[in-house]
Amino acid sequence: MSLQQLVERALAGDPVSRAKLVSLFSDTRPEATFDRMEAEEIAQKAQKPHECAFVGCTGAPGVGKSSLLSALVTRLRKQNQARLIAVLAIDPSSPFSGGALLGDRVRMALPEDDSGVFFRSQAADRELGGLSPATFQVCRMLRYLFDLVLVETVGVGQSETDIRHLADCVVLVVQPMVGDDVQLLKAGIMEIPDVIVMNKSDLTPAANQSFRALQTAAVRLLRPTDRSKVTTHRASARTGEGIDDLAALIADTRSNTDRFSEAETYFFEKAVRREFGTYGLDVLEAQGGAERVIEQRGFYEAQRWFARQIVV
Amino acid sequence: MKTETSTKATSAKKADGHRLVDEDGAPGRDRPWIFRTYSGHTSARASNELYRQNLLQGQTGLSIAFDLPTQCGYDSDHAMSRPEIGKVGVPINSLDDMHVLFDGIPIERMNTSMTINATSMWLLSLYVALAQERGVEVAALRGTTQNDIIKEYLARGTYIFPPPASLELTAQMYEYCLDAIPKWNASNVCSYHLQEAGATPGQELAFALATAMAVLDLVRARGQVPESAFAHVVGRMSFFVNSGIRFVEEMCKMRAFTEMWDHITQHRYGVTDPKRRAFRYGVQVNSLGLTESQPENNAWRIALETLGVTLSRNARCRALQLPAWNEALSLPRPWDQQWALRLQQILAYETDLLEYPDLFDGSPVVASKVAALKEQAQTEIDRIEEMGGVVAAIESGYMKSALVRSMTERVRKIQEGELTWVGVNRWPEAIESPLVSGNDGGLFRVEEGHAQQALAALEQTRRERDTEAAERAIETLKSAAKAGRNLMEPSIACARARVTTGEWAGALRDIFGEYRPATGIDGQPLALENDRVETLRSRIGALTAARGRRPRLLVGKPGLDGHSNGAEVIAVSARHVGFDVIYSGIRLTPSAIVRSAIDEDVDLVGASVLSGSHLELAEQIMTGLRKAGMNSAQVVLGGIVPAEDHAKLEALGIAKVFTPADYELLDTMEQLVELLEARSRNEARPQNQKRPQNQRG
Ligand code: B12
Ligand SMILES: Nc1nc2c(ncn2[C@@H]2O[C@H](COP(=O)(O)OP(=O)(O)OP(=O)(O)O)[C@@H](O)[C@H]2O)c(=O)[nH]1
Ligand SMILES: [Mg+2]
């Protein structure tokens, strides 16, 4: 099958072609950049990108990110069959073998015969930041295929903040806590979200107490950017409490094209750092910085061009 | 099915030196435990005939195995049910089936034991409704519903609802039975299945005792059972335990169980009557260690395992059932069961075992071992309590992870020869067994055609019932569930209105939701590091570089089969050698697996099927992939697959078949990598004309 056919079929909604196309956007071979550029061109010619909103979902392991996404996707699909949704879920890779267990699907009770939803697991592959090296690239293509993309980050620690660069709206999921745990909220990760959801609100009475603590903490949040106020919500993936409100909130998220070009810069720089280290960053700086390089050459060409600069 | 061939285990003998004497001082011997045997059956009518036959031969108890759809709350005509109808037990769709199942059997005189869990309340309701329609006094019914949901999440797999809701149902059954059916055992806590899923003796002790406490704590917290009757509820608790090949340790484990339960019932629940503190238990001996290769050796294993639960009089089982020598090959044939039964008879009647008081009282070795086991178990119980109890430890995945870790550790020891497995990792060469060279290859065959009976009966029930009445009964059930009321009465009403198994469970699924427990494989290490592992990793590294992505393996459990050990071990090993592995736990539809294979664009689909439905399920997966145009994924299948089916599977397009004889994980991993390497060599990618020849200089 030619690339042309692959893209056309994917755009027409063929599940296998769609999946193959997504794989192309995570292919790590240098020559794949070419195919990607080509694929995006074909897609662009065929149609405009959807007004695709990116919503990130982050939070500690086991708080219920996947369960919540599952409930939300089901609700959002029910509300509007025309809205096509993709979910990317990222899991950590083993530092020893490089392999990963991609386990988020366990919680995804999605309707089997609904091809309006696409779910792909990605391995973080030793990348820091909570996403996989391919997440951003894949999202580029998803813009042509879906109306809404939900990204579940790796569920660890507080340095998983890359999602802020990608998403139009970041949802931080927490669960009812006892005592000192509430303190955790004040550190790093709390600076990222636009929305904080306390999931598992069915676990009363711990839920009531923590929710109050959470609201107090959220009010005092110092935000690095001046985006609109952080809102707090209660929800339960188990009982369905709060799912309607959250679904509405997600449905209202608008895609922000400025954000997307900022993301290009950020993830390009990150890729340079990953591949070529600080030396790469120096070279990039000497060429006027990531933003400039992309502006001049476009996203794909910039990558290829840069690789040529650095290899002697 | 378990059939009881002897009834009484209790006896009033006393110790007198090395002898047992009765009240008058006359020497005697103990009555043996209850002998039980498994037998499979396929429809309500066929089972009924079997029961009646057994009863004619003097048996007084019935033990009913249900098929997987009934256990999982699906009607026979549900898509998930088709391949499983009647395979491992009887299908029960409605009260009409119960009438057939018990046709001509005086239930008022039966002791009926049901191996049923998530749908326990429903089956008990059907049994009560049957009594009512027959005009039998409900209070006269006697029997047991297995009803231990915790071990379902951990090992056995026939769960439906989330843990809190499931435990509430169990508690409600205790409350109902207290007055309505005082001789009914509402539940039977099982550690048997935990050992089969890898549990160590300490884990077996801890998890089972913690489960029993969770049930009793809940009954007490609900406040529906009067203080004065609580000791009765405690006394109704019984257990179903495993006995492995390390039979001395197992014997000590049983003594530890007895002592710990005595302590718990006395101190936690204030039970003063020692009779109500007795650790009453039945046993099935270990089957996990029974092998496919040199299967005749299993007979010895079974005999030795039996010693663990019979040697010590103070911790002797009340009932015992034995697997058969061909356990790893297929369900047992009647002759296989007879052979197993003979072992019990020889032990009980030919040997002098039952003539002595406890042989180990006062042994410092045994006392010390028991103390060590108790300490391990107590540490684990404390940890679970600290986490907020069994429900929290299930939901966080802690208990399941602990089991998977034990299981992987066991498998690793076998690989490295640390644990000897005769005929497997030592002395594998042997003269071929004449036992498997008979006409039937030593295998049991399920008769065909019974599924049709179940489907026809279900259709008839639906056609003939008063639909409105059935719908009303379901609505009443739902509103009672929403209000948190006891659901026994509404369920009995449903039963009488000819509501079906799938409808009852479906209604409660709507209210309580469905639960999928943690798979326990996240972050599981495999402590296996050697040259072969390194070589595998670099081969996978080479594949990754050549193909621009790490090989992706989807491990899938299609159908209602709950045997997860194999899938878990394969998933953990595959990640260990460098695969990206997608594993979503048990009980997936073939179409869900196809869907995942496509969306995840995997290179390999590895289905694991031990239920005997591999042909149907493989067919469905292959058809699904083909229809969607997903040609790039190769499919392999592992599980209990008789030799003659291998060719059939290959004809369906399955690239490779694995069985328990393929216990060498690294061999299996190498074969998977070979499949990928072969495919990679002649792989075509979408062609891009503009792509330059040389990219990065
Ligand atoms: C352990 C066990 C259980 C445990 C399962 C615990 C768990 N969580 O897995 C428990 C006690 C819960 C159990 C319950 C039942 N069991 Co059972 N069980 C077994 C037993 C003893 C061992 C299976 C096992 O775990 N082996 C260890 C693992 C590591 O090996 P494995 O699964 O074979 O996997 C290896 C290979 O096959 C291969 N492989 C397997 N899958 C895959 C996948 C891929 C991708 C690859 C590459 C390789 C591969 O590689 C693996 C590693 O070496 C077998 C008999 C036997 N000795 O084999 C019966 C057996 C499978 N059970 C059987 C039955 C009938 C049942 C019940 C239905 C009984 C009942 N009536 O209630 C229940 C139902 C459970 C359910 N919900 O489905 C039957 C099945 C009959 C048939 N197929 O015709 C068997 C064969 C016993 C018998 N002879 O009757 N069981
Ligand atoms: N009581 C309750 N449990 C929940 C709820 N949502 C999720 N859970 C449970 O929490 C556990 C973890 O859920 P997941 O959805 O896998 O959480 P996650 O954040 O995606 O986890 P990772 O991807 O491993 O970081 C599971 O046992 C769920 O059943 C809820 O609303 N209430
Ligand atoms: Mg998750």
Side-chain angles (χ1 to χ4, degrees), chain B residues 367-384:
Chain B
S368 169
K369 178 76 187 171
V370 170
L373 285 170
K374 281 168 70 174
E375 196 187 311
Q376 276 172 30
Q378 194 56 51
T379 309
E380 190 62 32
I381 291 174
D382 292 345
R383 191 174 303 145
I384 292 170

Side-chain angles (χ1 to χ4, degrees), chain A residues 106-174:
Chain A
V106 183
R107 304 276 157 235
M108 288 287 158
L110 304 175
E112 278 162 33
D113 47 0
D114 179 6
S115 61
V117 188
F118 170 80
F119 185 102
R120 172 65 65 92
S121 312
Q122 292 183 320
D125 195 13
R126 300 170 210 195
E127 177 95 323
L128 298 174
L131 301 179
S132 125
T135 304
F136 175 69
Q137 267 180 176
V138 165
C139 284
R140 293 186 72 86
M141 191 65 220
L142 293 178
R143 288 182 300 170
Y144 297 90
L145 302 170
F146 296 94
D147 304 291
L148 174 63
V149 175
L150 304 169
V151 180
E152 176 181 339
T153 71
V154 170
V156 253
Q158 309 189 343
S159 55
E160 281 63 37
T161 54
D162 274 0
I163 189 65
R164 203 174 82 202
H165 298 278
L166 173 66
D168 298 303
C169 171
V170 176
V171 179
L172 170 68
V173 185
V174 297

Side-chain angles (χ1 to χ4, degrees), chain A residues 20-214:
Chain A
K20 294 286 174 196
L21 194 54
V22 167
S23 297
L24 172 62
F25 277 72
S26 34
D27 192 324
T28 55
R29 283 172 295 188
E31 66 265 32
T33 307
F34 246 99
D35 290 342
R36 284 196 277 273
M37 183 164 82
E38 171 98 354
E40 195 170 338
E41 274 168 28
I42 298 170
Q44 228 158 18
K45 257 180 234 148
Q47 62 170 72
K48 280 168 77 179
H50 293 208
E51 294 278 298
C52 179
F54 294 92
V55 175
C57 182
T58 188
V63 293
K65 300 180 288 296
S66 304
S67 308
L68 213 50
L69 285 179
S70 172
L72 287 168
V73 169
T74 310
R75 184 62 48 95
L76 286 162
R77 285 291 301 152
K78 226 177 240 157
Q79 282 169 1
N80 180 357
Q81 283 292 313
R83 176 167 45 216
L84 307 179
I85 305 177
V87 183
L88 294 180
I90 295 112
D91 283 300
S93 301
S94 155
F96 305 107
S97 73
L101 276 171
L102 306 170
D104 295 304
R105 274 198 106 89
V106 183
R107 304 276 157 235
M108 288 287 158
L110 304 175
E112 278 162 33
D113 47 0
D114 179 6
S115 61
V117 188
F118 170 80
F119 185 102
R120 172 65 65 92
S121 312
Q122 292 183 320
D125 195 13
R126 300 170 210 195
E127 177 95 323
L128 298 174
L131 301 179
S132 125
T135 304
F136 175 69
Q137 267 180 176
V138 165
C139 284
R140 293 186 72 86
M141 191 65 220
L142 293 178
R143 288 182 300 170
Y144 297 90
L145 302 170
F146 296 94
D147 304 291
L148 174 63
V149 175
L150 304 169
V151 180
E152 176 181 339
T153 71
V154 170
V156 253
Q158 309 189 343
S159 55
E160 281 63 37
T161 54
D162 274 0
I163 189 65
R164 203 174 82 202
H165 298 278
L166 173 66
D168 298 303
C169 171
V170 176
V171 179
L172 170 68
V173 185
V174 297
Q175 61 182 9
M177 288 155 294
V178 273
D180 290 350
D181 293 357
V182 178
Q183 296 298 326
L184 281 178
L185 284 181
K186 289 171 187 158
I189 194 99
M190 280 294 271
E191 293 170 6
I192 308 169
D194 302 287
V195 176
I196 302 178
V197 178
M198 189 190 67
N199 186 37
K200 308 196 186 181
S201 63
D202 52 298
L203 298 178
T204 49
N208 297 332
Q209 206 190 352
S210 330
F211 191 61
R212 275 193 300 276
L214 189 64

